Amino acid sequence: MADDLPLILGLVLVAVAGTATVLVRDPVRQSFLLSLLGLALATVFLLLQAPDVALSQLAVGSALTPLMVLLSVRKVRRKARSERREEHE
Amino acid sequence: MSVLPYVIAAWLFLIGCYGLATSRNLIHAVGCLAVCQSSTYVLLLAIGYRDGGTAPVFSDITPGSRPVVDPVVQALTLTDIVIGATVTALLLSLVIQVAKRHRTVDPDELSELRG
Amino acid sequence: MSMRLRLCVLAVGGLGVAVLFVMACFDLPAFGGLWHPYGDRAVHAALARHTANTVSSVNFDQRAFDTLGEESILFASVVGTVTLLRQTHGEDRLPPEPVRVAPPVRRYALIALPVTLLIGLYVIAHGQLSPGGGFQGGVVVATSLHLLYIAVDYRALERIRPVGMYEVADAAGEAAYLLVGAAALLTGAAFLANFLPYGTFNTLSSGGTVPLLNAAIGVEVACGVVVLLARFLDQAVEIESEGRDDEAEART
């Protein structure tokens, strides 16, 4: 049981981070939680003796995906803002 | 302990589906889809785990000296993650196109527009 | 459909999935069990072909044809993103103003860039020996280039990143995978069979075609990710639609 403790904690952290990622409605905050979920998953994969997968998850899940989400948010919001300004003019 | 990884995988899938169904923002929905995807990683790696096993890499251990975990599911998960990221990119670019054309990323407003 | 009705439908579907999943779990091998027939055979085959990293052997030798399919999905989504996020009519390109970067950030990012690049290349090159390979190393190489955006500015990044070249290299990576597979046909073996000599176990040249396919994937993933990020950055930073934006907001 004591040997499994890190794995149990990691899995619980994954579940909590996953739940928070879904429940937070603002995409900007969501991207930070996505990157936390990526880190938690990478830790669990390491504990499950899958270093290849952990490496891949670390690069993709905690850097690439949140970055693309943030850039999309920026594009979409910027558009909305400039349109609002046009309506005011 | 023996069922916890499977339970977590199921939970991630269901909570991701809940997020997809109730999302008011398409970018948020893509994030929820990423949570759904991560459930498959947990499930696959949990199936391949072996008690007391080590990573299936023989550059620093003698073959046969220690039990190793299942490399097949790891290879499946590995490609799954990278493909998942590029598919996420494709979905996000679709969202940007939707925002350009319809000036909204709320799926409910979008279905009203069509009707 | 109202939100209430939608949640009811979701609850029914979710409960159904949960029940089926629990029933399926009883037939799954127990977590941590000792019975892994496929895993044992994959390890045996990898050792017979002198590949120290079994995961790479599965990806690029035993399941090389599946990896071709996965790589094609990757290629197709890069092509799709490039098509969707191109500059269209009524959109202007507005080069962002250079912004002063705090000296510690600049120093750290400029030191981290070559180190990260080197680690990425190492991870690709040692894919058949140690954990890593084309998929992981490719992403590291691609993201390391973007440290230049953090350290200097967007124009500096654009100078080392001619997107057209990376698009060509992306296609070349995909083509190289197919060509290595086709080369096996010339020797009379099956498509994507491991036809090269296996080499000495645990050296860089071991594993036959595994290092070649691994390198092809590395090139494709690295260039694909660079192209993807370039399209997203272009949209978020440079490309303007009709309404003009604040200059100050052109870069955050």
Side-chain angles (χ1 to χ4, degrees), chain A:
Chain A
M1 184 68 198
D3 295 348
D4 288 338
L5 196 62
L7 187 57
I8 293 173
L9 286 179
L11 283 168
V12 170
L13 182 63
V14 163
V16 171
T19 313
T21 311
V22 168
L23 295 184
V24 168
R25 293 286 160 179
D26 174 28
V28 175
R29 293 205 187 137
Q30 192 201 26
S31 68
F32 290 117
L33 284 165
L34 257 183
S35 118
L36 181 72
L37 175 67
L39 272 178
L41 280 170
T43 318
V44 167
F45 296 166
L46 211 54
L47 292 170
L48 287 173
Q49 300 295 335
D52 287 271
V53 188
L55 206 56
S56 175
Q57 175 67 28
L58 200 62
V60 168
S62 61
L64 193 59
T65 311
L67 178 61
M68 288 190 302
V69 169
L70 274 179
L71 288 173
S72 314
V73 171
R74 193 175 144 70
K75 175 70 184 172
V76 169
R77 289 214 175 143
R78 204 170 150 205
K79 192 150 185 65
R81 205 188 299 121
S82 61
E83 267 154 23
R84 262 203 303 282
R85 196 178 301 120
E86 274 177 356
E87 280 166 21
H88 282 302
E89 277 166 3

Coordinates of all heavy atoms in Angstrom, one line a residue, chain A:
Chain A
M1 N 0.8 -1.2 0.0 CA 0.0 0.0 0.0 C 0.9 1.2 0.0 O 0.7 2.2 -0.8 CB -0.9 0.0 1.2 CG -1.9 1.1 1.3 SD -3.1 1.0 0.0 CE -3.8 2.6 0.0
A2 N 1.9 1.3 0.9 CA 2.8 2.4 0.9 C 3.5 2.6 -0.4 O 3.8 3.8 -0.8 CB 3.8 2.3 2.1
D3 N 3.8 1.6 -1.1 CA 4.5 1.7 -2.4 C 3.6 2.4 -3.4 O 4.1 3.1 -4.3 CB 4.9 0.3 -3.0 CG 5.9 -0.4 -2.1 OD1 6.4 0.3 -1.2 OD2 6.1 -1.6 -2.3
D4 N 2.3 2.2 -3.3 CA 1.4 2.7 -4.2 C 1.0 4.2 -4.0 O 0.3 4.8 -4.8 CB 0.1 1.9 -4.3 CG 0.3 0.5 -4.9 OD1 1.3 0.4 -5.7 OD2 -0.4 -0.4 -4.6
L5 N 1.4 4.7 -2.8 CA 0.9 6.0 -2.4 C 1.2 7.1 -3.4 O 0.3 7.8 -3.7 CB 1.5 6.3 -1.0 CG 0.8 7.5 -0.3 CD1 -0.7 7.1 0.0 CD2 1.5 7.9 0.9
P6 N 2.4 7.2 -4.0 CA 2.6 8.3 -5.0 C 1.7 8.1 -6.2 O 1.1 9.1 -6.7 CB 4.1 8.1 -5.4 CG 4.7 7.3 -4.3 CD 3.6 6.4 -3.7
L7 N 1.5 6.9 -6.6 CA 0.6 6.7 -7.8 C -0.8 7.1 -7.4 O -1.5 7.8 -8.3 CB 0.7 5.2 -8.2 CG -0.1 4.8 -9.4 CD1 0.5 5.7 -10.6 CD2 0.1 3.4 -9.7
I8 N -1.3 6.7 -6.2 CA -2.7 7.1 -5.8 C -2.8 8.6 -5.8 O -3.8 9.2 -6.4 CB -3.0 6.5 -4.4 CG1 -3.1 5.0 -4.6 CG2 -4.3 7.0 -3.9 CD1 -3.3 4.2 -3.3
L9 N -1.8 9.3 -5.2 CA -1.9 10.7 -5.1 C -1.9 11.3 -6.5 O -2.6 12.3 -6.8 CB -0.7 11.3 -4.3 CG -0.7 11.0 -2.8 CD1 0.5 11.6 -2.1 CD2 -2.0 11.7 -2.2
G10 N -1.0 10.8 -7.4 CA -0.9 11.3 -8.8 C -2.3 11.2 -9.5 O -2.7 12.1 -10.1
L11 N -2.9 10.0 -9.3 CA -4.2 9.7 -10.0 C -5.2 10.7 -9.5 O -6.0 11.2 -10.3 CB -4.6 8.3 -9.8 CG -3.8 7.3 -10.7 CD1 -4.1 5.9 -10.3 CD2 -4.2 7.4 -12.2
V12 N -5.2 10.9 -8.2 CA -6.2 11.8 -7.6 C -6.0 13.2 -8.1 O -6.9 13.9 -8.5 CB -6.2 11.8 -6.1 CG1 -7.0 12.9 -5.5 CG2 -6.7 10.4 -5.6
L13 N -4.7 13.6 -8.2 CA -4.4 14.9 -8.7 C -4.9 15.1 -10.2 O -5.5 16.1 -10.6 CB -2.9 15.2 -8.7 CG -2.4 16.6 -9.1 CD1 -3.0 17.6 -8.2 CD2 -0.9 16.7 -9.1
V14 N -4.7 14.0 -11.0 CA -5.2 14.0 -12.4 C -6.7 14.2 -12.4 O -7.2 15.0 -13.2 CB -4.8 12.7 -13.1 CG1 -5.6 12.5 -14.4 CG2 -3.3 12.7 -13.4
A15 N -7.4 13.5 -11.5 CA -8.9 13.6 -11.5 C -9.3 15.0 -11.1 O -10.2 15.6 -11.8 CB -9.5 12.6 -10.5
V16 N -8.6 15.6 -10.1 CA -9.0 16.9 -9.6 C -8.7 18.0 -10.7 O -9.5 18.8 -11.1 CB -8.2 17.3 -8.4 CG1 -8.4 18.7 -8.0 CG2 -8.7 16.4 -7.2
A17 N -7.5 17.8 -11.4 CA -7.1 18.8 -12.4 C -8.1 18.7 -13.6 O -8.5 19.7 -14.2 CB -5.7 18.6 -12.8
G18 N -8.4 17.4 -14.0 CA -9.3 17.2 -15.1 C -10.7 17.9 -14.8 O -11.3 18.6 -15.6
T19 N -11.2 17.6 -13.6 CA -12.5 18.2 -13.2 C -12.5 19.7 -13.2 O -13.3 20.4 -13.8 CB -12.9 17.7 -11.8 OG1 -12.7 16.3 -11.7 CG2 -14.3 18.1 -11.5
A20 N -11.4 20.3 -12.7 CA -11.2 21.8 -12.7 C -11.2 22.3 -14.1 O -11.8 23.3 -14.4 CB -10.0 22.2 -11.9
T21 N -10.4 21.6 -15.0 CA -10.3 22.1 -16.4 C -11.7 22.2 -17.0 O -11.9 23.1 -17.8 CB -9.4 21.1 -17.2 OG1 -8.3 20.8 -16.4 CG2 -9.1 21.6 -18.5
V22 N -12.6 21.3 -16.7 CA -13.9 21.3 -17.3 C -14.8 22.4 -16.7 O -15.5 23.1 -17.4 CB -14.6 19.9 -17.2 CG1 -16.0 20.0 -17.6 CG2 -13.8 18.9 -18.1
L23 N -14.7 22.5 -15.3 CA -15.6 23.4 -14.6 C -15.3 24.9 -14.8 O -16.1 25.7 -14.7 CB -15.7 23.0 -13.2 CG -16.3 21.6 -12.9 CD1 -16.4 21.3 -11.5 CD2 -17.7 21.5 -13.6
V24 N -14.0 25.2 -15.0 CA -13.6 26.6 -15.2 C -14.1 27.0 -16.6 O -13.7 26.3 -17.6 CB -12.1 26.7 -15.1 CG1 -11.7 28.1 -15.6 CG2 -11.7 26.6 -13.6
R25 N -14.9 28.0 -16.7 CA -15.5 28.3 -18.0 C -14.7 29.3 -18.8 O -14.9 29.4 -20.0 CB -16.9 28.9 -17.8 CG -17.9 27.9 -17.2 CD -18.3 26.9 -18.2 NE -18.8 25.7 -17.6 CZ -19.2 24.6 -18.2 NH1 -19.2 24.6 -19.5 NH2 -19.7 23.5 -17.6
D26 N -13.8 30.0 -18.2 CA -13.0 31.0 -19.0 C -11.9 30.3 -19.7 O -11.0 29.7 -19.0 CB -12.5 32.1 -18.0 CG -11.6 33.0 -18.7 OD1 -11.8 33.2 -19.9 OD2 -10.7 33.6 -18.0
P27 N -11.8 30.3 -21.0 CA -10.7 29.6 -21.7 C -9.3 29.9 -21.3 O -8.4 29.1 -21.4 CB -11.0 29.9 -23.2 CG -12.3 30.5 -23.3 CD -12.7 31.1 -21.9
V28 N -9.1 31.2 -20.9 CA -7.7 31.6 -20.5 C -7.3 30.8 -19.2 O -6.2 30.2 -19.2 CB -7.6 33.1 -20.3 CG1 -6.2 33.4 -19.8 CG2 -7.9 33.8 -21.5
R29 N -8.2 30.8 -18.2 CA -7.9 30.1 -17.0 C -7.8 28.6 -17.3 O -7.0 27.8 -16.7 CB -9.0 30.3 -15.9 CG -8.9 31.7 -15.5 CD -9.5 31.9 -14.1 NE -9.5 33.3 -13.9 CZ -10.5 33.9 -13.3 NH1 -11.6 33.3 -12.9 NH2 -10.5 35.2 -13.1
Q30 N -8.7 28.2 -18.2 CA -8.7 26.7 -18.6 C -7.4 26.3 -19.1 O -6.9 25.2 -18.8 CB -9.8 26.5 -19.6 CG -10.1 25.0 -19.7 CD -10.8 24.7 -21.1 OE1 -10.7 25.4 -22.0 NE2 -11.6 23.7 -21.1
S31 N -6.7 27.2 -19.9 CA -5.5 26.7 -20.5 C -4.4 26.5 -19.4 O -3.6 25.6 -19.6 CB -5.0 27.8 -21.6 OG -4.7 28.9 -20.9
F32 N -4.5 27.3 -18.4 CA -3.5 27.1 -17.3 C -3.8 25.7 -16.6 O -2.8 25.0 -16.3 CB -3.5 28.2 -16.3 CG -3.0 29.5 -16.8 CD1 -3.8 30.6 -16.9 CD2 -1.7 29.6 -17.2 CE1 -3.3 31.8 -17.4 CE2 -1.2 30.8 -17.7 CZ -2.0 31.9 -17.8
L33 N -5.1 25.5 -16.4 CA -5.4 24.2 -15.8 C -5.1 23.0 -16.7 O -4.7 21.9 -16.2 CB -6.9 24.2 -15.4 CG -7.2 25.0 -14.1 CD1 -8.6 25.3 -14.0 CD2 -6.6 24.3 -12.9
L34 N -5.2 23.2 -18.0 CA -4.8 22.2 -19.0 C -3.4 21.9 -18.8 O -3.0 20.7 -18.8 CB -5.1 22.7 -20.4 CG -6.3 22.2 -21.1 CD1 -6.3 22.7 -22.5 CD2 -6.3 20.7 -21.2
S35 N -2.6 22.9 -18.6 CA -1.1 22.6 -18.5 C -0.8 21.9 -17.2 O 0.1 21.1 -17.1 CB -0.4 23.9 -18.7 OG 0.3 24.3 -17.7
L36 N -1.6 22.3 -16.1 CA -1.4 21.5 -14.8 C -1.8 20.1 -15.0 O -1.1 19.2 -14.5 CB -2.3 22.2 -13.8 CG -2.2 21.6 -12.4 CD1 -0.9 21.9 -11.7 CD2 -3.4 22.0 -11.5
L37 N -2.9 19.8 -15.8 CA -3.4 18.5 -16.0 C -2.3 17.7 -16.8 O -2.0 16.6 -16.5 CB -4.7 18.5 -16.8 CG -5.2 17.1 -17.3 CD1 -5.7 16.3 -16.1 CD2 -6.3 17.3 -18.3
G38 N -1.6 18.4 -17.7 CA -0.6 17.8 -18.5 C 0.6 17.4 -17.6 O 1.1 16.3 -17.7
L39 N 0.9 18.3 -16.7 CA 2.0 17.9 -15.7 C 1.7 16.7 -14.8 O 2.5 15.8 -14.6 CB 2.3 19.1 -14.8 CG 3.3 20.2 -15.3 CD1 3.4 21.3 -14.3 CD2 4.7 19.5 -15.5
A40 N 0.4 16.8 -14.3 CA 0.0 15.7 -13.5 C 0.0 14.3 -14.2 O 0.4 13.3 -13.7 CB -1.4 16.0 -12.9
L41 N -0.5 14.4 -15.5 CA -0.5 13.2 -16.3 C 0.9 12.7 -16.5 O 1.2 11.5 -16.4 CB -1.2 13.4 -17.6 CG -2.7 13.4 -17.6 CD1 -3.2 13.9 -19.0 CD2 -3.2 12.0 -17.4
A42 N 1.8 13.6 -16.8 CA 3.2 13.2 -17.1 C 3.8 12.5 -15.8 O 4.5 11.5 -15.9 CB 4.1 14.4 -17.4
T43 N 3.5 13.0 -14.6 CA 4.0 12.4 -13.4 C 3.4 11.0 -13.3 O 4.2 10.1 -12.9 CB 3.5 13.2 -12.2 OG1 3.7 14.6 -12.5 CG2 4.4 12.9 -11.0
V44 N 2.1 10.9 -13.5 CA 1.5 9.5 -13.4 C 2.1 8.6 -14.4 O 2.4 7.4 -14.0 CB 0.0 9.6 -13.6 CG1 -0.6 8.3 -13.8 CG2 -0.7 10.3 -12.4
F45 N 2.4 9.0 -15.6 CA 3.0 8.1 -16.6 C 4.4 7.7 -16.2 O 4.8 6.6 -16.4 CB 3.1 8.8 -18.0 CG 1.7 9.2 -18.5 CD1 1.6 10.1 -19.6 CD2 0.6 8.6 -18.0 CE1 0.4 10.4 -20.1 CE2 -0.7 8.9 -18.5 CZ -0.8 9.8 -19.6
L46 N 5.1 8.6 -15.6 CA 6.4 8.3 -15.1 C 6.3 7.2 -14.0 O 7.1 6.2 -14.0 CB 7.1 9.5 -14.5 CG 8.6 9.6 -14.6 CD1 9.0 9.5 -16.0 CD2 9.0 11.0 -14.1
L47 N 5.3 7.3 -13.1 CA 5.1 6.3 -12.0 C 4.7 5.0 -12.6 O 4.9 4.0 -12.0 CB 4.1 6.8 -11.0 CG 4.6 8.0 -10.2 CD1 3.5 8.6 -9.4 CD2 5.8 7.6 -9.3
L48 N 4.0 5.1 -13.8 CA 3.5 3.8 -14.4 C 4.6 3.2 -15.3 O 4.4 2.4 -16.1 CB 2.3 4.1 -15.3 CG 1.0 4.3 -14.5 CD1 -0.1 4.7 -15.4 CD2 0.6 3.0 -13.7
Q49 N 5.9 3.7 -15.1 CA 7.0 3.2 -15.9 C 6.9 3.4 -17.4 O 7.2 2.5 -18.2 CB 7.2 1.7 -15.6 CG 7.5 1.4 -14.1 CD 8.8 2.0 -13.6 OE1 9.7 2.2 -14.3 NE2 8.8 2.3 -12.3
A50 N 6.4 4.6 -17.8 CA 6.3 4.9 -19.2 C 7.0 6.2 -19.5 O 6.4 7.2 -19.7 CB 4.8 5.0 -19.6
P51 N 8.4 6.2 -19.4 CA 9.1 7.5 -19.7 C 8.9 8.1 -21.0 O 8.8 9.3 -21.2 CB 10.6 7.1 -19.4 CG 10.6 5.6 -19.6 CD 9.3 5.1 -19.2
D52 N 8.8 7.2 -22.1 CA 8.5 7.7 -23.4 C 7.3 8.6 -23.5 O 7.2 9.7 -24.0 CB 8.4 6.6 -24.4 CG 9.7 5.9 -24.7 OD1 10.3 6.3 -25.6 OD2 10.0 4.9 -23.9
V53 N 6.2 8.0 -22.9 CA 4.9 8.7 -22.9 C 4.9 9.9 -22.1 O 4.4 11.0 -22.4 CB 3.8 7.7 -22.4 CG1 2.4 8.3 -22.7 CG2 3.9 6.4 -23.2
A54 N 5.6 9.9 -20.9 CA 5.7 11.0 -20.0 C 6.4 12.2 -20.7 O 5.9 13.3 -20.7 CB 6.4 10.7 -18.8
L55 N 7.4 11.9 -21.5 CA 8.2 12.9 -22.2 C 7.3 13.6 -23.2 O 7.2 14.8 -23.4 CB 9.3 12.2 -22.9 CG 10.6 13.1 -23.2 CD1 11.1 13.7 -22.0 CD2 11.6 12.2 -23.9
S56 N 6.5 12.7 -24.0 CA 5.6 13.2 -25.0 C 4.5 14.1 -24.4 O 4.2 15.2 -24.8 CB 5.0 12.0 -25.7 OG 4.1 12.4 -26.6
Q57 N 4.0 13.6 -23.3 CA 2.9 14.4 -22.6 C 3.4 15.7 -22.0 O 2.7 16.7 -22.1 CB 2.3 13.5 -21.5 CG 1.2 14.2 -20.6 CD 0.0 14.5 -21.4 OE1 -0.3 13.8 -22.4 NE2 -0.7 15.5 -21.0
L58 N 4.6 15.7 -21.5 CA 5.2 16.9 -21.0 C 5.3 18.0 -22.1 O 5.0 19.1 -21.8 CB 6.6 16.6 -20.4 CG 7.2 17.5 -19.4 CD1 6.3 17.6 -18.2 CD2 8.5 17.1 -19.0
A59 N 5.8 17.6 -23.2 CA 6.0 18.5 -24.3 C 4.7 19.0 -24.9 O 4.5 20.2 -25.1 CB 6.9 17.9 -25.4
V60 N 3.8 18.1 -25.1 CA 2.6 18.4 -25.8 C 1.5 19.0 -24.8 O 1.0 20.0 -25.1 CB 2.0 17.1 -26.5 CG1 0.6 17.4 -27.0 CG2 2.9 16.8 -27.7
G61 N 1.3 18.2 -23.7 CA 0.1 18.5 -22.9 C 0.4 19.8 -22.1 O -0.6 20.5 -21.8
S62 N 1.6 20.0 -21.6 CA 1.8 21.2 -20.7 C 2.4 22.4 -21.5 O 2.5 23.4 -20.9 CB 2.7 20.8 -19.6 OG 3.9 20.4 -20.0
A63 N 2.7 22.3 -22.8 CA 3.2 23.4 -23.5 C 2.4 23.7 -24.7 O 1.9 24.8 -24.9 CB 4.7 23.3 -23.8
L64 N 2.4 22.7 -25.6 CA 1.9 23.0 -27.0 C 0.3 23.3 -27.0 O -0.1 24.3 -27.5 CB 2.2 21.8 -27.8 CG 2.0 22.0 -29.3 CD1 2.9 23.1 -29.8 CD2 2.3 20.7 -30.1
T65 N -0.4 22.4 -26.4 CA -1.9 22.5 -26.4 C -2.3 23.8 -25.7 O -3.1 24.6 -26.3 CB -2.6 21.3 -25.8 OG1 -2.0 20.1 -26.4 CG2 -4.1 21.3 -26.0
P66 N -1.9 24.1 -24.4 CA -2.3 25.4 -23.8 C -1.9 26.6 -24.6 O -2.7 27.6 -24.7 CB -1.6 25.3 -22.5 CG -1.3 23.9 -22.2 CD -1.1 23.3 -23.5
L67 N -0.7 26.5 -25.3 CA -0.3 27.7 -26.0 C -1.2 27.9 -27.2 O -1.6 29.1 -27.5 CB 1.2 27.4 -26.6 CG 1.7 28.5 -27.4 CD1 1.8 29.8 -26.6 CD2 3.1 28.1 -27.9
M68 N -1.6 26.8 -27.9 CA -2.5 27.0 -29.0 C -3.9 27.5 -28.6 O -4.5 28.4 -29.2 CB -2.7 25.7 -29.8 CG -1.4 25.4 -30.6 SD -1.6 24.0 -31.7 CE -2.1 22.7 -30.7
V69 N -4.3 27.0 -27.4 CA -5.6 27.5 -26.9 C -5.5 29.0 -26.6 O -6.4 29.8 -27.0 CB -6.0 26.7 -25.6 CG1 -7.2 27.4 -24.9 CG2 -6.3 25.3 -25.9
L70 N -4.4 29.5 -25.9 CA -4.2 30.9 -25.6 C -4.2 31.7 -26.9 O -4.8 32.8 -26.9 CB -2.9 31.1 -24.8 CG -3.0 30.9 -23.3 CD1 -1.6 31.1 -22.7 CD2 -4.0 31.8 -22.7
L71 N -3.5 31.3 -27.9 CA -3.4 32.0 -29.1 C -4.8 32.2 -29.8 O -5.1 33.2 -30.3 CB -2.4 31.4 -30.1 CG -0.9 31.5 -29.7 CD1 -0.1 30.7 -30.6 CD2 -0.5 33.0 -29.7
S72 N -5.6 31.1 -29.8 CA -6.9 31.2 -30.3 C -7.8 32.1 -29.6 O -8.5 32.9 -30.2 CB -7.6 29.8 -30.3 OG -6.7 28.8 -30.8
V73 N -7.7 32.1 -28.2 CA -8.5 33.0 -27.4 C -8.1 34.5 -27.8 O -9.0 35.3 -28.0 CB -8.2 32.8 -25.9 CG1 -8.8 33.9 -25.1 CG2 -8.7 31.5 -25.5
R74 N -6.8 34.7 -27.9 CA -6.4 36.0 -28.3 C -7.0 36.5 -29.6 O -7.4 37.6 -29.7 CB -4.9 36.0 -28.3 CG -4.3 37.4 -28.3 CD -2.8 37.3 -28.3 NE -2.2 38.3 -29.1 CZ -2.2 39.6 -28.8 NH1 -2.8 40.0 -27.7 NH2 -1.7 40.5 -29.6
K75 N -6.9 35.6 -30.6 CA -7.4 36.0 -31.9 C -8.9 36.3 -31.8 O -9.4 37.3 -32.3 CB -7.2 34.8 -32.9 CG -7.8 35.0 -34.2 CD -7.0 36.1 -35.0 CE -7.6 36.3 -36.3 NZ -7.0 37.5 -37.0
V76 N -9.7 35.4 -31.2 CA -11.1 35.6 -31.1 C -11.5 36.8 -30.3 O -12.4 37.6 -30.8 CB -11.8 34.3 -30.5 CG1 -13.2 34.5 -30.2 CG2 -11.6 33.1 -31.4
R77 N -10.9 37.1 -29.2 CA -11.2 38.2 -28.4 C -10.9 39.5 -29.1 O -11.6 40.5 -29.0 CB -10.5 38.2 -27.0 CG -11.0 37.1 -26.2 CD -11.0 37.4 -24.8 NE -11.6 36.4 -24.0 CZ -11.2 36.0 -22.8 NH1 -10.2 36.6 -22.3 NH2 -11.8 35.0 -22.2
R78 N -9.7 39.5 -29.7 CA -9.2 40.7 -30.4 C -10.2 41.1 -31.5 O -10.5 42.3 -31.6 CB -7.9 40.3 -31.1 CG -7.0 41.5 -31.3 CD -5.7 40.9 -31.7 NE -5.1 41.8 -32.6 CZ -4.2 41.5 -33.5 NH1 -3.9 40.2 -33.6 NH2 -3.6 42.4 -34.2
K79 N -10.8 40.1 -32.1 CA -11.7 40.4 -33.2 C -13.0 41.0 -32.6 O -13.5 42.0 -33.0 CB -12.1 39.0 -33.8 CG -12.9 39.2 -35.0 CD -12.6 38.0 -35.9 CE -13.3 38.3 -37.2 NZ -12.8 39.4 -37.9
A80 N -13.5 40.4 -31.5 CA -14.7 40.9 -30.8 C -14.5 42.4 -30.4 O -15.3 43.2 -30.5 CB -15.1 40.1 -29.7
R81 N -13.3 42.6 -29.8 CA -13.0 44.0 -29.3 C -13.0 45.0 -30.4 O -13.6 46.1 -30.3 CB -11.6 44.0 -28.6 CG -11.6 45.0 -27.5 CD -10.2 45.1 -27.0 NE -9.7 43.9 -26.3 CZ -8.6 43.3 -26.7 NH1 -7.9 43.7 -27.8 NH2 -8.3 42.2 -26.1
S82 N -12.3 44.7 -31.5 CA -12.2 45.7 -32.6 C -13.6 45.9 -33.2 O -13.9 47.0 -33.6 CB -11.2 45.3 -33.7 OG -11.6 44.1 -34.2
E83 N -14.5 44.9 -33.2 CA -15.8 45.1 -33.7 C -16.7 46.0 -32.8 O -17.4 46.9 -33.3 CB -16.5 43.8 -33.9 CG -16.3 43.3 -35.4 CD -16.4 41.8 -35.4 OE1 -17.0 41.2 -34.6 OE2 -15.8 41.3 -36.4
R84 N -16.5 45.8 -31.5 CA -17.2 46.6 -30.6 C -16.8 48.1 -30.8 O -17.7 49.0 -30.7 CB -17.0 46.2 -29.1 CG -18.0 45.3 -28.6 CD -18.0 45.3 -27.1 NE -16.8 45.0 -26.5 CZ -16.4 43.7 -26.4 NH1 -17.1 42.7 -26.8 NH2 -15.2 43.4 -25.8
R85 N -15.5 48.3 -31.0 CA -15.1 49.7 -31.1 C -15.7 50.3 -32.4 O -16.1 51.5 -32.4 CB -13.6 49.7 -31.2 CG -13.0 51.1 -31.0 CD -11.5 51.2 -31.0 NE -10.9 50.3 -30.0 CZ -10.1 49.3 -30.3 NH1 -9.8 49.1 -31.5 NH2 -9.6 48.6 -29.4
E86 N -15.8 49.5 -33.4 CA -16.4 50.1 -34.7 C -17.9 50.5 -34.4 O -18.3 51.5 -35.0 CB -16.4 49.0 -35.8 CG -15.0 49.0 -36.5 CD -15.0 47.9 -37.6 OE1 -15.9 47.1 -37.6 OE2 -14.0 47.9 -38.3
E87 N -18.6 49.7 -33.6 CA -20.0 50.0 -33.4 C -20.1 51.4 -32.6 O -21.0 52.1 -32.8 CB -20.6 48.9 -32.5 CG -21.0 47.7 -33.4 CD -21.3 46.5 -32.6 OE1 -21.6 46.7 -31.4 OE2 -21.3 45.4 -33.1
H88 N -19.1 51.6 -31.7 CA -19.1 52.9 -31.0 C -18.9 54.0 -31.9 O -19.4 55.1 -31.6 CB -18.1 52.8 -29.9 CG -18.5 52.0 -28.7 ND1 -19.6 52.3 -28.0 CD2 -18.0 50.9 -28.1 CE1 -19.8 51.4 -27.0 NE2 -18.8 50.5 -27.1
E89 N -18.0 53.9 -32.9 CA -17.6 55.0 -33.7 C -18.8 55.6 -34.5 O -19.7 54.9 -34.9 CB -16.5 54.6 -34.6 CG -15.2 54.7 -33.9 CD -14.1 53.9 -34.6 OE1 -14.3 53.5 -35.8 OE2 -12.9 53.9 -34.1

